[in-house]
Amino acid sequence: MPPTPQRDFSAPTIVIGAGPHGLAVAALLRRSGVPTVILERSDRAGASWAQRYDHLRLHTTPGASKLPGLSVPRQAGPWVSRDDYVRYLERYVAHHRLDVRVTTPVQRVERAEPGSGAQWLVHTPDGPVPAGAVVVATGRCHTPNIPHWPGRSTFTGTLLHSAHYRSPAPYRGQHVLVVGAGNSGTEIASVLAGAGAGAGAGAGAGAERIRIAVRTPPNILPRSSARWHAVGRLTEALPLTWRDSTSLLTQRLAVPDLTSRGLPRPRTGLYTRNVREGVNPVLDHGFVDAVRSGRVEPVAAVEAFDGPDVLLADGARLRPDTVIAATGYRPNLHGLVGSLGVLDEAGQPLAVGAQTHPEAPRLYFAGYTNPLTGVLRQAGVEARAIAHALRRDTGNCKSG
């Protein structure tokens, strides 16, 4: 039998996406001397953050939000704003002298031919780019997801995803229904009601009536307890039932009972919800006070649309001017890597971080988990692991 052709990994590592996870991986690879190029579909690094709503602030402290090799400036304060974080990401690119190719969307990733000097071909509108390894870092929040509610196309009001909401000003005097009681939904509802962080930017421009459709009561913690990320790290080895019980007790002590206002206490602990659904608790930015005062009214989950009306699970009909769907995102990876057999039925990567699928060596996915220890902290954790795996693999190939 002829000898197996020796693989050549002289082609650079291609990182797809210039968000926090992609930048962190590229920085650590560059530090290790691994040639790395970042391909970004938009015209700037951190574009997905720059497109979020104006009053967005991080839910993690600066120490838990920094990427490897550069701290978040102290001037950004304890709760970093959207614009300050975007500036931090741009500074990160300059600080680490990263090679970011903007306005370069990736169409698909394919296996390279044996003996071609590359493991992968990364297809762009300008042609294929050979790669010794690929890190997909387009993120779990890539594409806005709006449920296919029956009758949705008949709705005569305005329906938009929270990804396209910017500020409360356009909704002055309107009846607004926010769908979804996660961090984005509760924060948007609070600001529309003139409460919470960012409300000052829309003073006098709030909606006349704000309702929030809730399917599952959220686990709510005071904003001051954002350091629960550190608690999450310290208690990871403890039994799930114990952590759940403790979290529910903390909520009962720290958050008033809103059952009489239409928002009962959750029955499932925040740790179990994170494991089952990948969701994190809501950090209160004024939402609790807005519900207590009646400025935000919780209602049942949305079931369907009927012309101008929204039909709820309890049989009620609402007639809002605007519906803002804070209903999450999907990674939308099928077009990129769907032919490689590396995704599960839900379109999520079968292997993440430093792990790779057996059929796709040197293809990594960064940014597709939502741990209680913090997504931005996880960017550094995954970047270090991927960089270590690539250094080890490249060294073995060179010596083989």
Side-chain angles (χ1 to χ4, degrees):
M1 293 179 60
T4 301
Q6 187 68 40
R7 293 182 297 172
D8 176 9
F9 294 123
S10 59
T13 293
I14 299 296
V15 176
I16 306 173
H21 286 80
L23 297 180
V25 171
L28 292 184
L29 289 177
R30 189 182 186 283
R31 182 189 297 175
S32 301
V34 178
T36 305
V37 176
I38 305 173
L39 303 183
E40 167 59 40
R41 62 175 177 166
S42 70
D43 62 354
R44 64 188 297 184
S48 61
W49 286 85
Q51 294 164 3
R52 299 296 189 234
Y53 49 85
D54 297 346
H55 49 82
L56 173 70
R57 289 186 176 273
L58 299 186
H59 296 152
T60 48
T61 57
S65 305
K66 68 179 181 178
L67 303 181
L70 185 67
S71 296
V72 177
R74 296 182 62 183
Q75 300 91 305
W79 308 106
V80 183
S81 70
R82 176 201 68 181
D83 292 345
D84 280 339
Y85 200 68
V86 170
R87 282 190 285 268
Y88 166 72
L89 294 179
E90 291 171 341
R91 183 175 167 225
Y92 193 85
V93 171
H95 179 81
H96 290 286
R97 293 179 289 175
L98 303 181
D99 185 356
V100 181
R101 313 283 175 88
V102 297
T103 61
T104 307
V106 174
Q107 298 162 323
R108 67 186 184 280
V109 178
E110 293 181 343
R111 294 179 177 88
E113 293 292 331
S116 65
Q119 181 84 9
W120 301 100
L121 285 179
V122 178
H123 290 268
T124 75
D126 298 324
V129 180
V134 171
V135 181
V136 180
T138 54
R140 54 187 291 274
C141 296
H142 181 274
T143 301
N145 179 57
I146 297 182
H148 294 287
W149 290 298
R152 191 180 80 178
S153 62
T154 71
F155 184 52
T156 56
T158 299
L159 171 64
L160 70 152
H161 191 273
S162 57
H164 304 121
Y165 161 87
R166 292 293 175 269
S167 74
Y171 310 99
R172 183 174 185 176
Q174 289 193 12
H175 173 194
V176 178
L177 173 65
V178 178
V179 183
N183 275 294
S184 293
T186 56
E187 188 171 344
I188 289 170
S190 302
V191 172
L192 286 171
E208 180 178 338
R209 186 170 192 178
I210 305 97
R211 289 179 164 118
I212 184 166
V214 181
R215 185 172 298 279
T216 303
N219 297 91
I220 303 175
L221 293 173
R223 187 184 191 187
S224 59
S225 63
R227 291 171 179 80
W228 61 267
H229 291 288
V231 175
R233 296 195 292 274
L234 294 172
T235 60
E236 283 178 326
L238 297 176
L240 187 63
T241 53
W242 184 90
R243 287 183 285 161
D244 272 343
S245 298
T246 302
S247 74
L248 290 171
L249 175 60
T250 299
Q251 291 171 71
R252 284 196 295 271
L253 294 174
V255 178
D257 188 359
L258 302 173
T259 302
S260 63
R261 290 292 185 177
L263 191 65
R265 291 190 183 279
R267 295 184 177 181
T268 305
L270 64 90
Y271 293 93
T272 292
R273 285 207 66 189
N274 180 262
V275 170
R276 291 178 180 173
E277 305 168 44
V279 299
N280 281 345
V282 167
L283 292 187
D284 182 27
H285 290 67
F287 177 70
V288 170
D289 284 343
V291 171
R292 291 180 71 187
S293 66
R295 288 174 291 169
V296 172
E297 177 188 351
V299 297
V302 170
E303 290 293 311
F305 288 77
D306 183 17
D309 294 340
V310 179
L311 283 59
L312 303 183
D314 61 1
R317 280 179 175 258
L318 305 180
R319 188 165 291 187
D321 300 298
T322 298
V323 175
I324 300 175
T327 47
Y329 297 79
R330 50 192 173 86
N332 199 18
L333 291 168
H334 284 290
L336 193 65
V337 296
S339 65
L340 303 177
V342 296
L343 304 178
D344 63 18
E345 292 182 356
Q348 298 285 348
L350 289 166
V352 297
Q355 303 300 315
T356 59
H357 192 278
E359 300 299 319
R362 299 172 69 83
L363 176 65
Y364 300 90
F365 292 87
Y368 295 92
T369 61
N370 190 28
L372 287 171
T373 50
V375 170
L376 295 175
R377 175 184 177 274
Q378 186 69 10
V381 171
E382 291 185 357
R384 293 183 184 93
I386 291 172
H388 177 73
L390 275 171
R391 288 195 304 268
R392 181 184 61 227
D393 195 9
T394 301
N396 289 342
C397 290
K398 287 179 178 178
S399 61

